[in-house]
């Protein structure tokens, strides 16, 4: 990990609050960054940082260069937030740390921001009730595109396939809408995706193994058996034809 690299010290229990600056001649807004102001936690959590920086409490740390790598702003929605209003209504897999603090800190120091309104949305995530995902109590876990690339099919509540799973992210997201979908991955696709990776989701109750082919899938979804069977058969046929042409299935 990073902490094992030579000449790198990882200090826990430290919260950077602002950049330390000195006026730069001829530059009205921007100024040279000389370091950071930070709050070092008291007690065991900030013991190492306190010893290294002279805390606990407020400390100033001088540096030749400062790099802000703070995890984005996916949780900074609502009025005055960095996240655009259309994206604020969407759930996110990002944790509470993605509050935009680093972006705001850089902007306050005169840094220019670029394309903050162009937020890319990932279409699929697993939802597990009982957690804290910040969106009505659902803890969200990313469902990687590798699952759809391995042949996973998106079915709606009626058991119908409604979108090209390998389409553009915005198109897949729009097709799913707010109701979500079921992600169905066959045995061959599961092997390609990796059983070990699937086990990570199974242990969290996000993925369930279903026996009985299309009939078993239909029962799990509560959808008509004949509809699910027809959709999965049509997808398998399209996938086989596409493989024969050296292409991925779509449409």
């Amino acid at each position: 990990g990073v902490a094992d690299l030579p000449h790198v010290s990882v200090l826990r229990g430290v919260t950077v609050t602002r950049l330390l600056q000195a006026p730069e001649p001829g530059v009205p807004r921007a100024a040279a960054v000389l370091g950071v102001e930070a709050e070092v936690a008291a007690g065991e959590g900030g013991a190492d940082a306190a010893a290294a920086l002279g805390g606990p409490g407020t400390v100033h740390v001088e540096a030749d260069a400062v790099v802000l790598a703070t995890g984005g702003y996916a949780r900074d929605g609502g009025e005055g937030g960095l996240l655009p209003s259309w994206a604020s209504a969407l759930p996110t897999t990002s944790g509470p740390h993605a509050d935009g603090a680093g972006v705001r800190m850089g902007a306050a120091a005169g840094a220019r921001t670029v394309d903050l309104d162009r937020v890319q949305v990932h279409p699929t995530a697993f939802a597990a009730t009982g957690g804290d995902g910040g969106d009505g109590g659902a803890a969200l876990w990313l469902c990687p595109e590798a699952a759809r690339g391995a042949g996973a099919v998106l079915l709606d509540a009626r058991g119908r396939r409604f979108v090209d799973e390998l389409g553009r992210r915005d198109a897949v997201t729009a097709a799913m809408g707010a109701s979500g979908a079921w992600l169905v991955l066959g045995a061959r696709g599961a092997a390609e995706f990796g059983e070990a990776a699937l086990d990570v989701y199974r242990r969290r109750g996000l993925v369930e193994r279903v026996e009985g082919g299309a009939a078993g899938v239909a029962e799990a979804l509560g959808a008509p058996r004949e509809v699910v069977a027809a959709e999965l058969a049509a997808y398998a046929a399209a996938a086989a034809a596409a493989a024969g042409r050296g292409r991925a299935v779509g449409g």
Side-chain angles (χ1 to χ4, degrees):
V2 174
D4 298 323
L5 296 175
H7 312 301
V8 173
S9 298
V10 177
L11 301 177
R12 304 185 184 281
V14 182
T15 301
V16 175
T17 54
R18 70 181 180 93
L19 301 178
L20 300 177
Q21 297 177 272
E24 185 173 304
V27 182
R29 185 170 178 222
V33 175
L34 305 179
V36 299
E37 181 180 275
E39 292 294 326
V40 179
E44 186 176 344
D48 291 342
L53 304 178
T58 303
V59 298
H60 286 184
V61 182
E62 295 184 358
D64 293 331
V66 176
V67 177
L68 297 174
T70 58
Y73 53 98
R75 291 283 184 184
D76 191 28
E79 178 147 6
L82 295 172
L83 199 65
S85 58
W86 64 266
S88 297
L90 298 174
T92 177
T93 59
S94 296
H97 60 277
D99 60 0
V103 179
R104 294 180 183 279
M105 198 180 305
R112 292 190 299 270
T113 58
V114 179
D115 296 338
L116 292 184
D117 60 321
R118 299 187 179 184
V119 177
Q120 185 169 195
V121 176
H122 194 287
T124 50
F126 294 118
T129 58
D132 180 15
D135 54 289
L140 297 181
W141 297 79
L142 181 69
C143 176
E145 283 176 319
R148 287 176 279 135
V153 181
L154 287 170
L155 302 179
D156 63 18
R158 299 171 299 168
R160 296 189 181 278
R161 180 174 176 241
F162 58 91
V163 69
D164 172 9
E165 293 81 3
L166 301 182
R168 286 183 9 176
R169 287 180 172 183
D170 58 343
V172 179
T173 301
M176 291 176 65
S179 59
W182 295 96
L183 190 81
V184 179
L185 186 62
R188 184 178 299 178
E192 181 178 335
F193 180 74
E195 288 290 347
L198 284 174
D199 282 342
V200 173
Y201 297 114
R202 287 195 187 101
R203 288 195 296 270
R204 292 175 168 84
L206 303 171
V207 172
E208 179 182 352
R209 187 188 298 275
V210 175
E211 305 292 343
V217 172
E219 182 177 354
L221 270 57
R225 180 182 303 183
E226 64 276 7
V227 173
V228 173
E231 293 291 345
L232 295 183
Y235 180 86
R245 299 192 300 270
R247 301 175 61 186
V249 67

